[in-house]
Amino acid sequence: MTDQRSFAIVTGASTGIGLELARCCAKAGFDLLIAADEPAIETAAIDLRASGVSVETVQTDLATEEGVNRLCEAAKGRPVDALLANAGRGLGHSFLDQNFAEARKVVDTNVVGTLYLVHRIGNEMSRRNSGRILITGSIAGFTPGSFQAVYNASKAFLNSFSFALREELRDSAVTVTCLMPGATETDFFRRADMLDTAVGAAEKDDAGEVAQLGFDAMMCGEGDVVTGWKNKVMSAAANVVPSGTLASQHRKMAEPGTAKS
């Protein structure tokens, strides 16, 4: 019966890594509550229901407390076995050239909304002493992101927060996993207005493969997973290369007009 299945909430699930994470959950037999801030979440649900699981949707702005509350209320008190906090927003160009409202939206979505959602669902898991949390960070969090400064800083926050929360929950049965992908084939770079950059034009990792690695790590209770061997090399190098050098290297990837014709 449906109420005997495990139950997962996946945010940012209309496209990209979030949709692929939801597919992983569906294939594993989780009933789903999926959320995004766009109507495409309904199309995603139609696809996911083909797996034979229950899929409920919420179109809501997870950058706001009201939006997160609406998502949590849609769970209707059902215990959450897995929270996949994937909703995120990117933004390219020089920080001083960005519209501040858009820059703040990145912080509110990636950081504030994620924290509030994890706080709400995490407390419920803690009371039950059961649950899995997956937070989508990024290898971008290891590098000062010239021409992507707010986004990279937001991911640095999430990476750090994930490890800290995991340690705080070490003696419980609640696990925290941080998925740290590199550039992935999604709508991210179009939405961030970065198609004319070197990283925007470069070959990227497959979203399905990235999501499967993250899902598997979550199910195994692992602390983190960096996807792709190039990304593993980059993340390791970030620990020893001076921050100024990393910022200069990132400029070559993210500065507008760097895409090769």
Side-chain angles (χ1 to χ4, degrees):
M1 296 176 61
T2 300
D3 60 4
Q4 294 178 323
R5 291 196 182 102
S6 295
F7 178 50
I9 293 178
V10 186
T11 65
S14 55
T15 60
I17 294 173
L19 176 56
E20 296 299 337
L21 285 170
R23 285 193 177 118
C24 291
C25 290
K27 290 176 183 176
F30 283 83
D31 282 340
L32 286 164
L33 173 59
I34 58 174
D37 63 356
E38 59 183 359
I41 195 67
E42 300 298 338
T43 304
I46 294 171
D47 174 43
L48 293 166
R49 290 183 184 118
S51 297
V53 299
S54 171
V55 182
E56 300 296 329
T57 65
V58 179
Q59 184 182 338
T60 189
D61 184 0
L62 295 171
T64 67
E65 288 190 23
E66 295 79 8
V68 172
N69 287 338
R70 187 174 173 218
L71 172 59
C72 293
E73 289 162 5
K76 300 176 181 177
R78 185 171 178 181
V80 179
D81 298 288
L83 169 63
L84 294 87
N86 171 79
R89 184 177 298 271
L91 188 62
H93 296 276
S94 167
F95 172 66
L96 296 181
D97 291 334
Q98 293 169 350
N99 177 285
F100 183 73
E102 293 182 359
R104 177 170 178 170
K105 189 79 168 182
V106 172
V107 176
D108 287 343
T109 303
N110 297 6
V111 177
V112 181
T114 299
L115 286 184
Y116 185 44
L117 178 60
V118 171
H119 192 266
R120 285 207 56 173
I121 302 299
N123 266 294
E124 178 224 310
M125 290 179 172
S126 181
R127 285 191 291 269
R128 291 187 291 116
N129 194 32
S130 176
R132 306 176 189 276
I133 299 171
L134 176 71
I135 296 173
T136 301
S138 174
I139 66 163
F142 298 125
T143 303
S146 307
F147 295 91
Q148 210 176 349
V150 176
Y151 173 78
N152 282 38
S154 74
K155 290 300 183 175
F157 183 101
L158 289 181
N159 292 353
S160 175
F161 171 73
S162 297
F163 283 107
L165 181 61
R166 178 180 176 83
E167 176 61 23
E168 291 175 2
L169 293 169
R170 181 180 63 182
D171 296 326
S172 78
V174 180
T175 63
V176 180
T177 302
C178 187
L179 170 60
M180 294 182 281
T184 304
E185 195 60 58
T186 68
D187 286 340
F188 174 88
F189 292 96
R190 177 185 61 80
R191 292 176 174 176
D193 193 20
M194 295 182 66
L195 293 180
D196 65 340
T197 66
V199 65
E203 184 178 352
K204 302 173 184 63
D205 295 333
D206 178 76
E209 294 177 3
V210 168
Q212 189 66 59
L213 287 169
F215 178 81
D216 291 345
M218 178 190 74
M219 294 304 292
C220 292
E222 296 175 10
D224 65 288
V225 56
V226 176
T227 60
W229 69 268
K230 289 184 180 179
N231 299 326
K232 294 180 189 295
V233 171
M234 289 175 63
S235 63
N239 292 320
V240 295
V241 177
S243 294
T245 301
L246 292 173
S248 178
Q249 292 173 345
H250 197 277
R251 179 186 192 122
K252 298 174 182 178
M253 297 189 299
E255 186 173 11
T258 54
K260 294 181 180 180
S261 58

